[in-house]
Amino acid sequence: MSEFSTVLSESRRFPPPPAFAARAHLSSPEVYRRLCAEAEADPDAYWAARAKEELFWKTPFHTVCEWAPPHARWFLGGTTNLSYNALDRHLDTHADTVAIRFEGEPGDRRDYTYRELHAEVCRLANGLRALGVRPGDRVGIYLPLIPEAAIAMLACARIGATHSVVFGGFSAEALRDRMNDAQARVLITADGGWRKGAVVPLLDNVRASLAHGVPTLQTVVVARRTGASLPSLRAQERSWDDVVAGQPATCEPEWVDAEHPLFILYTSGSTGTPKGVLHTTGGYGVWTSLTARWVFDLKPDDVYWCTADVGWVTGHSYVVYGPLMNGATVVLYEGAPTTPGPDRFWDLIARHRVTILYTAPTAIRAFMRLGDEHPKRHDLTSLRLLGTVGEPINPEAWMWYRETIGGGRCPIVDTWWQTETGGILISPLPGVTTTKPGSATLPLPGIHPKILDKQHQEVTEGAGRLFVTRPWPSMLRTIWGNDARFKAGYFGEHPEFYFTGDGARRDADGYFWIIGRVDDVVNVAGHRLGTAEVESALVSNPKVAEAAVVGRPDALKGTALVAFVTVKAGVPTSKALEAELAAHVTREIGAIARPDEIRFAAALPKTRSGKIMRRLLRDVASGQDSKGDTSTLEDLSVLAALRTDDE
Ligand code: WT7
């Protein structure tokens, strides 16, 4: 970060605009302090009140929280259904409000009112039941960002099936591994999706995955999106239309236990295999519903657009569950931000009169580079609130977002959270919090983050590692099928405090500044990747002997991926091999994991005990001189060779 940005970020403060605060759900620091004090004085009473306000409970819960570290259970004895909470609850009051306003990349449009969305969800829920899907069964969802994705998730929730959405940008191999880990019974997909004017061949990927075997899978449901008609379907495949045909537009929800598994979502960790983060129903529902209203200040007349794909947790919590439980109008846009032109986002905002925009710093930086003329050509005055998520936002991008997109009048909420946290934990409240560009500011009421040093001493001002010291309703419950990994990964550092994997700093006002990951996870263009995953993809190529992947700071993507590769004896290295390996990673994981740079090395620098010296490689990758202690280098010439190559 430049010196300018430090000065800028430390000195600039933006209190909530009075007109915004006047009509916000939470509207003053006193309200915030009162809620925090309530949560502190009697956590059970605080959470019980939130849970009762937020959800319809078919059976009331008798116990708020049972905390047997590292396992938490919330709202015990309660039964509910999140599809009922997201849909049926609105039918008496605003059935004709638009729930989903969809625009496809080619420009096609579809609106679903709450009444219509309810009917579609019920039809599919009935159809899935007819296919034999039972409560607790896992259903895979591999779809473009089209209304069917939300419909499929809510249909699963309605019948108590546990969904596992796999981002459409993941490859056939990645899909197969996730379906196998979850032991999915049904997979819902489409013929394809539109991305940058081309078709992403989802059905082909599904067929390729199945060819390698997903033994538990009984049926593939195929929606039509890109073709004039569906290709001829194979055994096991059924068209979406066929599955819902003749099904009634009502469906009795399955009243599930608060701790019933709602979804599994795979995310990257520090080993080669992704982990299935498990979220359950009650606590997740309470917190996503509450935070969607608190942080985005959702009102009946808002048109809310979160640009995330449903393949990520942001799409689960703040495209589907949170906003719909609040009865909001949600914009869904299928395609790329710059198709057909660099102003597609601004054009969408102007035409749909979007009032709330929630997107990633990488997108903001990319738009900044494309030039002000594109947003300036469009009327963005409908916007009243801006949000960011996924990676640290540099103060320059924050200021550009505020001035050029928000016209200087919109509060910005920089929301810190993770797949594992289920919902936002640290964020400004737009009617309450004075913001500082680059800071996620303060914890939401009831959330207890702490920065600890290596000796587990709290750092009240300064930098350290970020923990959450008390359970919260939407925390992950375990890693699907691997509780040992859950324990070691999140509670291995401290037996009772959840370890986030992030480094953070607190300033004199107690504000949190997220620095970035301290583990082997990297955020590339707002997408989370494990360096070990990319390494194992590389070494699965027969020409590769060994690989080490590290992140290097990148002005646009936040972090870029650099792969150091040693090849097997006799394999010549070349530009062509670089391209071949990059394509190999795309095939194994998906284009998001494709290394930005591949460097061939004769050997990788290792400690005496054989550990790859990643710190050194990170320095080499970012062009810095290594300050690391090189005395343990197995072979000093390796370092020298890498440096020479670097020149
Ligand atoms: C990691 C979690 C949360 C939904 C999207 C990403 C980084 C997230 C922020 C923020 C700085 C952030 C962290 C975190 N991150 N939000 N506002 N400021 N960093 O979810 O894929 O689980 O990634 O994203 O490093 O650990 P995810």
Side-chain angles (χ1 to χ4, degrees), residues 3 96 122 144 164 167 192 219 285 459 477 573-574 578 604 642 647:
E3 217 163 288
D96 297 317
C122 287
S164 177
F167 173 54
T219 312
V459 179
R477 297 302 193 258
T573 61
S574 62
E578 263 179 58
L604 297 175
L642 284 167
E647 274 158 14

Side-chain angles (χ1 to χ4, degrees), residues 151-176:
I151 293 168
M153 290 162 76
L154 292 167
C156 288
R158 195 157 192 97
I159 62 173
T162 301
H163 57 72
S164 177
V165 183
V166 176
F167 173 54
F170 279 122
S171 68
E173 298 293 303
L175 174 68
R176 185 205 54 200

